[in-house]
Amino acid sequence: QVQLVESGGGSVQAGGSLRLSCAASWSISRLNFVHWYRQAPGKQRELVAVITSGGSTNYADSVKGRFTISRDNAKNTVYLQMNSLKPEDTAVYYCNAVVQSPVGDYWGQGTQVTVSS
């Protein structure tokens, strides 16, 4: 079992920045994929960013150039740096880890991000 604990959410004005953290109970080098998802009220959960165990990253078009996913292996933590925030970024942000051996799919509890105009 992998425990994931998100932190760093909060309220910010449009144009501001936040950094979300996802602390894992395993070495993050063992996590094949770590995703950040978000879910706004009344909307489906959407993928925001992903980082692989090899360090490759990918982003949703809506956040490219504004958000950066990164990791600190020593701290077993994955980060989501969010800059130039917009009201439409308001959502609960979830960290998700996928492990291929042994197979597992793990979620954190979520952290609220609210961006006001």
Side-chain angles (χ1 to χ4, degrees):
Q1 279 283 46
V2 181
Q3 277 78 49
L4 302 172
V5 179
E6 299 106 329
S7 61
S11 297
V12 65
Q13 288 192 326
S17 298
L18 286 172
R19 188 178 77 159
L20 306 183
S21 300
C22 173
S25 60
W26 284 14
S27 168
I28 58 171
S29 62
R30 295 178 60 191
L31 307 179
N32 297 95
F33 302 92
V34 177
H35 307 91
W36 282 100
Y37 284 86
R38 67 185 181 188
Q39 188 166 20
K43 295 188 176 182
Q44 288 190 327
R45 190 170 295 188
E46 65 169 338
L47 178 63
V48 175
V50 57
I51 188 165
T52 71
S53 55
S56 298
T57 59
N58 207 354
Y59 300 90
D61 287 343
S62 59
V63 307
K64 277 182 183 176
R66 300 188 298 123
F67 290 12
T68 303
I69 189 170
S70 63
R71 65 186 190 190
D72 185 332
N73 288 353
K75 296 183 178 180
N76 289 331
T77 299
V78 173
Y79 301 100
L80 185 69
Q81 177 67 44
M82 306 186 296
N83 298 329
S84 302
L85 283 162
K86 304 176 181 180
E88 51 263 43
D89 295 317
T90 295
V92 178
Y93 284 71
Y94 296 92
C95 180
N96 164 258
V98 174
V99 179
Q100 294 176 334
S101 179
V103 173
D105 188 340
Y106 306 96
W107 292 86
Q109 82 286 356
T111 186
Q112 176 71 47
V113 171
T114 303
V115 184
S116 58
S117 56

